[in-house]
Structures are given as structure tokens and as C-alpha cells.
DNA sequence: TATTGTTATACTCTATAACTATA
DNA sequence: TATAGTTATAGAGTATAACAATA
């Protein structure tokens, strides 16, 4: 599930794994600031001049995809100082609002595999934002909680996210924003399977 | 760039690389149909009962993310028979509508690195949908074109995508769909940098 | 026997850096 | 010197499968 991924933040947060810090093939040479510079520079520009986008321009799915890409970029930029990505932010919020949450439940809520939740929580724990407490009544499980630092960071990040969201929607009136959310919520009804 | 990725389609399209078809650690044992089954089964359910989503529920960015996830799932399911993912579909459309397109231009349009465009075109070429023609006037470059099979497949896939998009937006009236696209287009104005 | 958390492994996607052949 | 395409490599994210401890 969770086709989210949406992670250009890749090279942004090296917190999770320390992996191999090897170098490149030639290495020990000039950094070379990337010649062409296609999609590496500023931000994703959804519309290149003189290009015919065909059906893409008439698809709601494509419009949402483009919006999501730009919003994601802005989000990551806004929270870069804390190394908090969208999934990490979502995890922090969910943990803070739902006491005694277990790892498996978190995975279910976020729509990821349990193994993925382990890595996510590992990262947040290494950042000293989350802690695993023994779950009362079940010695297999943990209760996830925010550390004091986690609470402080979440409070600050939350303000940044709210500001980010306001920026993203700044071209819309209050009512338009409400309309947008309402329309989005009515999209993609679950498949009959 | 291109935080898109959005690829739950991971295990869906093995077309790109034939990689190693190895097995698992223990292997040679019962398949075990995944015990818990968090996000592996049906579709991503954005709202788990009895869970407090806090600020997430008030963010436009989160609403878009959720919509995008569900739409992505439906898209992949709709085009699974051709093994065409969103980026592949976008590439086919762009190539078909813009003659003599070069690989670097495609990369720029899609917002990915040139190296990524190479792999993408490699995959489409292996699927016999796209071909590299010598670019007139520049022996370094190629002109990307659709093969006859590519044209046929794109025509069919396009119908499927249009149907998919209609399904996704089926709960909205024509006017609501227009409103939605209009509002989305006004989101996330480029950053001052 | 089922479930919780964990680990090992594999795979996809994407990025950076360097190389080649042209320009 | 710069550009088009390519390749090698690294890294993030996610998934599946298996395991130990506990239920």
C-alpha cells in the first residue's frame, strides 16, 4: 500500500541508517556541479513552455499529482531544519494524539508494513523524539510515547506545517479552501474489490 | 526533484529490470500469507475508526496526499495489464504529442534526472513501445518516437486512464470537477527561492 | 495457534558523479 | 568548454518472509 513514498527528501534525512559512507567511482575529483541540471535545481515546474501535455492536462489525477509534488517540496523545505518528513510528521501527530498506541496500530494507520513502522520509529527514537514504553498487560508490545523533546519539536514543527499549509493555499479564500477539501474528500471512492 | 515516486506499484511492474530472482533468507518453507496484514490487503483506508488524526485532518496538504494515494492505487490497478505506471503513461503521452523530443527534454518535462529518463526509456523500449531515432542535425542526440505497438498501447491505455479518472471523480458533477481542477491549479505558488 | 516486534532480504525509484561522443 | 546520452554507485522507502517472545 501507501504509494505515498513521495520522497525527494531522500538525500535530505540521513538519520535513519548510517549505512556505508563510501564514495563514488572515480572520487577524489572535482565535485562538478551537474552540467545539465534538469530537475535538480529549484522546484518542479509542472508546465514547460511549448510542450503539449495532451490528455494529461484534462486529468484530475494528474492535476492532483502535480499539486502534491509541489506541496511535498515545500513541506520538506519547511521542515528541513528538524529533518522531519511527511510520514515522520504524521507519525508524531498520531502518537501524540493516541496514547498507548502500539507499533502495529501505527503501521495500520499510516498504511505501511509493520517492518516499515519499525524503521520509522527507530529513526524517531534515534532523534530522541519518541520512546518505546512497555505496554501494560502485554509484554510483547510497546506503548509509543513522545519524549519531552518530541513534544517540543512537534509543537514547533506543527506551527511550521500550519504555516506551510497556509502558504500553499494562500491564493485561495477561506471558503475556497473549504470547498477544495470537501471535493477532495469525495474523490476516489473505495473500489468494490 | 519530483517527489512524485508515489510508487506502491513497486512489486507490480517487474518489467524494468530483470534483476536477481533470488529467494528469501530461510526460503523453501511455507509461503505464509502475512499474519497481521496491515497495509497489504485491499486499499489504503485514510481513516481508521477511533483514531484521532489531530491537525492532519485540517491540512489541505494531507487531504491531497490521501487523495493522491487512493488515486494512484486505482490508476495502477487500471493499467496493470499493460504494466504502465503513471510516469510511464506520462512519458508516452509527452512523446506522442511532441515529435523529435530528446531524452534530456523529456527528463526536464517529467522533472526527473537525465539518468532516470534513460532507465524509463529503456523500460519502454524493452516493452517495444518507444524507439530511439537518430536526431537530425545532432549526432549526440536521439529523437524519441512511439512504435506502432506503442501507439496502439497508448490509445488503449489512454481510454483506460480516462475511464479511471472518470471513476475517481464520479462522485462529483461536471462543474464540481472543473472547480476542483481550477482550485488545484491555484495551489502552491512557486517559492521566491 | 495467533500476534507483537524484529530482522534479513529484495526491489523500485531517484539522485550524484563521472565518462563518451559529439558540438 | 559545453552538451546528449550513458553508466556506476549510493541511498531512501517499502514489501515479503521468517523468527523469537508472548498471548
Amino acid at each position: 500500500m501507501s504509494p505515498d513514498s513521495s520522497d525527494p527528501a531522500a538525500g535530505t534525512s540521513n538519520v535513519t541508517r548510517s549505512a556505508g559512507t563510501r564514495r563514488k567511482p572515480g572520487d577524489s575529483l572535482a565535485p562538478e556541479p551537474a552540467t545539465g541540471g534538469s530537475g535538480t535545481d529549484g522546484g518542479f515546474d509542472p508546465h514547460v513552455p511549448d510542450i503539449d501535455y495532451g490528455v494529461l492536462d484534462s486529468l484530475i489525477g494528474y492535476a492532483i499529482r502535480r499539486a502534491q509534488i509541489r506541496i511535498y517540496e515545500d513541506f520538506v523545505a519547511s521542515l528541513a531544519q528538524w529533518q522531519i518528513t511527511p510520514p515522520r510528521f504524521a507519525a508524531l501527530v498520531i502518537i501524540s494524539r493516541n496514547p498507548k498506541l502500539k507499533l502495529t496500530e501505527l503501521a495500520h494507520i499510516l498504511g505501511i508494513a509493520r517492518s516499515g513502522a519499525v524503521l520509522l520509529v527507530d529513526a524517531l527514537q534515534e532523534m530522541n523524539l519518541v520512546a518505546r514504553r512497555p505496554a501494560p498487560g502485554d509484554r510483547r508490545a510497546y506503548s509509543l510515547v513522545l519524549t519531552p523533546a518530541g513534544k517540543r519539536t512537534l509543537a514547533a514543527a506543527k506551527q511550521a506545517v500550519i504555516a506551510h499549509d497556509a502558504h500553499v493555499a494562500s491564493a485561495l479564500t477561506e471558503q475556497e479552501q473549504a470547498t477544495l477539501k470537501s471535493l477532495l474528500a469525495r474523490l476516489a471512492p473505495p473500489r468494490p474489490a
Side-chain angles (χ1 to χ4, degrees), chain A residues 86-168:
Chain A
R88 285 178 185 177
F89 180 74
L92 290 175
V93 171
I94 297 294
I95 291 171
S96 77
R97 307 284 301 193
N98 301 275
K100 297 181 182 173
L101 195 71
K102 288 186 289 182
L103 221 152
T104 297
E105 296 170 335
L106 178 64
H108 180 60
I109 295 168
L110 298 180
I112 62 180
R114 277 175 303 156
S115 59
V118 171
L119 299 180
L120 180 56
V121 171
D122 279 353
L124 294 174
Q125 189 165 355
E126 281 173 39
M127 295 165 78
N128 271 305
L129 304 179
V130 166
R132 289 168 160 97
R133 302 286 182 226
D138 189 339
R139 286 188 302 176
R140 296 172 303 180
Y142 290 118
S143 284
L144 299 174
V145 297
L146 292 191
T147 63
K151 290 178 183 173
R152 286 196 303 273
T153 299
L154 175 56
K158 194 188 296 181
Q159 293 311 308
V161 168
I162 290 173
H164 143 79
D165 210 65
H167 165 71
V168 155

Side-chain angles (χ1 to χ4, degrees), chain A residues 17-116:
Chain A
R17 299 272 158 193
S18 40
T21 318
R22 285 200 209 154
R23 284 292 67 196
K24 288 298 149 44
D27 193 7
S28 72
L29 281 173
E32 182 199 314
T35 51
S38 299
T40 312
D41 43 288
F44 176 55
D45 187 6
H47 258 80
V48 177
D50 299 321
I51 292 297
D52 181 354
Y53 285 76
V55 254
L56 299 182
D57 271 334
S58 67
L59 299 173
I60 284 190
Y62 198 69
I64 290 183
R65 177 172 173 260
R66 285 194 289 226
Q68 219 259 326
I69 290 176
R70 310 240 327 234
I71 292 173
Y72 191 99
E73 288 178 354
D74 191 81
F75 186 107
V76 171
S78 298
L79 277 74
Q81 59 180 296
W82 295 289
Q83 294 198 294
I84 292 182
T85 54
R88 285 178 185 177
F89 180 74
L92 290 175
V93 171
I94 297 294
I95 291 171
S96 77
R97 307 284 301 193
N98 301 275
K100 297 181 182 173
L101 195 71
K102 288 186 289 182
L103 221 152
T104 297
E105 296 170 335
L106 178 64
H108 180 60
I109 295 168
L110 298 180
I112 62 180
R114 277 175 303 156
S115 59

